[in-house]
Amino acid sequence: MSSRPTIHAVGFPLWKRKHVRTFLQPAEVRFVPTPALLPRGEAVTVATWGLRVPEARFPPNCVVWRLEDGFLRSVGLGADLTPPLSWVKDTRGIYYDPSRPSDLEHLLATEDFPAALQDRAKALAARIRAAGLTKYNVGSSAWRRPAAAARVILVPGQVESDASVRHGTRTVTTNLALLQAVRRNEPDAYVLYKPHPDVLAGLRKSGRGEEQVREWCHESVAEAAMGSLLETVDEIHTMTSLAGFEALLRGKKVVTYGMPFYAGWGLTEDHDMTPEVQARRGRNLHRDELVAACLVLYPLYAGRDGQLRKGPEETLNELSAWREEKPLRGSALRPVLRLLSR
């Protein structure tokens, strides 16, 4: 009999199962299509992707782990099925759903963050910034800041059907509404809009009324790499985009119109935080503490060889080397990829 723990993984498409085994090793993973087929009676540990399967569908004997992409993921888009180097495993909720605490929120609210850990986070942030690394590391061109622009605000577009927008916003829920709010609040700023790379690649639908965004920004930029763009602008205004965290990592001002995981800790200017969420996050953090929780303590890391990594430093090395290669473009395969990812 195997001494390895058993985890039942519910609802994963075939292409993702290899990665489930990688990130949950050394456990024995048994794939189950629906919660109805889970064992009854004894306690069962279950893994599922994000919020795809609601809590109410799991039997009461289940301990549910929710898996999601981490914040240093790959060179290429997840929607193109590019293999991930980082996932998170959350036993309380998931980081983009502010309706209840997640493991990440718990870390940010309770961790002591010793000096050595903060120093490690500071060094990580410096390496990421120097290398221009982000979650997906796509884009190639550089953006030139207009000489007359005294203050530039970047508004990153999001996939409006994504769970982070559906669960993390209340008032401003579309890219167009976000741009309109920014223009109202910051009439003297130069507003730069960057569509989401999944939308640009044709892998996800554009937002409601997104054909009008050019009327509400000074410029829309498509191909510029997010890492270099963040270095050039002054501020980021966003609903819940990870670009806000990546901007904080670079010491930029961040304004939120939703409730992303990095908001509510005294590091951002927040326009739509509920009293309940703010009460749970009622602690002021230093940027290095945020980085330590998000990049060191919370994620799991693995290499393209399928082996777990000890931490983010090894993953930074791999991302930098991967970016020097010439990744295959997914455009010709995208119709097939959409079917596989269901």
Side-chain angles (χ1 to χ4, degrees):
M1 180 178 293
S2 173
S3 60
R4 297 187 298 161
T6 299
I7 298 173
H8 291 78
V10 176
F12 286 93
L14 289 174
W15 75 269
K16 197 173 280 188
R17 293 184 179 187
K18 173 178 68 174
H19 307 309
V20 175
R21 292 190 181 95
T22 293
F23 283 101
L24 295 184
Q25 59 184 295
E28 178 183 349
V29 180
R30 298 178 183 174
F31 291 97
V32 180
T34 69
L37 298 177
L38 288 166
R40 305 291 172 135
E42 76 272 17
V44 175
T45 300
V46 176
T48 191
W49 187 254
L51 298 175
R52 182 169 294 179
V53 182
E55 200 79 22
R57 292 187 58 194
F58 291 107
N61 60 310
C62 292
V63 175
V64 180
W65 295 353
R66 298 193 179 274
L67 308 180
E68 259 291 354
D69 283 330
F71 309 133
L72 293 170
R73 186 193 185 279
S74 55
V75 179
L77 302 175
D80 255 344
L81 311 194
T82 307
L85 301 187
S86 174
W87 275 7
V88 301
K89 178 191 76 178
D90 204 302
T91 64
R92 289 178 171 85
I94 195 64
Y95 65 84
Y96 52 74
D97 178 13
S99 68
R100 59 175 175 169
S102 64
D103 285 352
L104 178 56
E105 185 178 276
H106 181 74
L107 282 169
L108 290 167
T110 63
E111 181 66 30
D112 286 338
F113 297 110
L117 179 58
Q118 293 189 53
D119 289 343
R120 183 180 177 188
K122 186 189 296 289
L124 274 171
R127 283 191 61 191
I128 291 169
R129 183 171 185 173
L133 293 171
T134 56
K135 181 178 181 178
Y136 294 121
N137 301 289
V138 294
S140 55
S141 65
W143 177 74
R144 180 172 295 180
R145 180 183 177 123
R151 186 164 61 101
V152 177
I153 292 174
L154 172 63
V155 177
Q158 294 186 244
V159 177
E160 293 173 9
S161 60
D162 269 0
S164 68
V165 176
R166 290 187 286 108
H167 292 273
T169 63
R170 298 187 306 160
T171 305
V172 176
T173 61
T174 68
N175 295 317
L176 180 60
L178 175 60
L179 277 169
Q180 292 169 335
V182 172
R183 290 302 302 274
R184 285 195 304 269
N185 294 336
E186 306 289 346
D188 298 325
Y190 186 95
V191 177
L192 182 68
Y193 178 69
K194 180 172 173 56
H196 193 278
D198 283 350
V199 173
L200 288 171
L203 295 165
R204 305 292 292 274
K205 291 183 179 179
S206 59
R208 289 168 285 171
E210 194 147 352
E211 69 278 359
Q212 302 175 43
V213 297
R214 292 298 298 271
E215 301 173 23
W216 294 93
C217 65
H218 294 89
E219 188 179 351
S220 179
V221 58
E223 295 302 322
M226 180 60 80
S228 63
L229 204 55
L230 289 171
E231 293 291 342
T232 309
V233 303
D234 301 300
E235 303 176 17
I236 309 296
H237 289 225
T238 181
M239 291 183 284
T240 61
S241 173
L242 184 65
F245 169 70
E246 294 171 337
L248 288 175
L249 188 147
R250 290 163 170 83
K252 301 290 183 174
K253 178 180 178 180
V254 175
V255 179
T256 71
Y257 290 77
M259 294 174 283
F261 64 90
Y262 50 82
W265 308 104
L267 295 168
T268 54
E269 180 183 314
D270 304 315
H271 281 244
D272 202 20
M273 186 74 62
T274 67
E276 295 78 12
V277 173
Q278 187 60 69
R280 294 203 315 261
R281 301 180 186 181
R283 178 189 189 190
N284 285 341
L285 295 175
H286 188 274
R287 185 192 70 173
D288 295 335
E289 295 172 323
L290 177 72
V291 173
C294 294
L295 297 186
V296 179
L297 301 180
Y298 187 47
L300 303 167
Y301 293 98
R304 286 189 285 173
D305 59 3
Q307 300 300 310
L308 290 177
R309 298 291 187 249
K310 294 180 180 179
E313 290 84 358
E314 289 180 273
T315 297
L316 291 184
N317 293 339
E318 188 157 358
L319 281 172
S320 295
W322 189 358
R323 195 173 55 177
E324 294 303 311
E325 301 171 8
K326 294 182 179 179
L328 293 174
R329 297 184 66 85
S331 56
L333 299 175
R334 279 170 183 151
V336 177
L337 296 178
R338 288 194 191 97
L339 293 174
L340 290 173
S341 61
R342 290 176 181 174

